[in-house]
Amino acid sequence: MSIGKKLKKFRESHGLTQEQFAYKAGVKRTTYISYENDRTIPDFLVISRIAKEFGVDINEFCDEEIEPKFAVLNAPEVIYNAGANNNKKTLTSEERLLLAYFRTLGDGERKEFFEKIKNDFLDRRCGTNEE
């Protein structure tokens, strides 16, 4: 069952209108309707807000269990130390998406993917990229 159908079934089981449910999810009604109609997929924050609001496990809405490590990647900010001065930086949405994608790969694919990224990075950093 799609996440949109799961949300609709869950909403209806609680006797809420789309507008009421959207309010509890912290999104506009039109945005919520697009979730139910499977036009868009809610992000982790929306799903976690719904789960918290109704006191259910986030995996209620997912096909597979979400690992806690994966959930952290989808958090609004991931803070890390960068540079010699230990400046605090946050990952961009693109960086979080890249990490989330990396976690979907099998072991062999991860190793191959990582080697390519590492080699490209070193080529660029050391100025040996011949493109």
Side-chain angles (χ1 to χ4, degrees), residues 20 29 69 97 101 115:
Q20 291 168 327
R29 183 182 66 81
K69 287 187 248 177
L97 179 62
Y101 170 74
E115 285 300 314

Side-chain angles (χ1 to χ4, degrees), residues 25-77:
V27 297
K28 293 179 181 179
R29 183 182 66 81
T30 53
T31 301
Y32 177 74
I33 289 170
S34 71
Y35 298 157
E36 276 197 8
N37 293 327
D38 292 315
R39 286 194 301 267
T40 59
I41 298 172
D43 65 22
F44 177 80
L45 292 176
V46 172
I47 294 298
S48 62
R49 194 177 299 123
I50 293 168
K52 185 177 180 182
E53 178 73 27
F54 290 94
V56 296
D57 188 279
I58 193 167
N59 292 305
E60 177 107 11
F61 306 102
C62 304
D63 288 335
E64 299 175 8
E65 281 197 21
I66 296 176
E67 297 177 35
K69 287 187 248 177
F70 181 77
V72 169
L73 291 176
N74 288 300
E77 291 186 53

Side-chain angles (χ1 to χ4, degrees), residues 11 14-23 29 32 36:
R11 174 184 62 79
H14 285 81
L16 297 172
T17 65
Q18 289 175 326
E19 188 168 2
Q20 291 168 327
F21 199 81
Y23 177 79
R29 183 182 66 81
Y32 177 74
E36 276 197 8

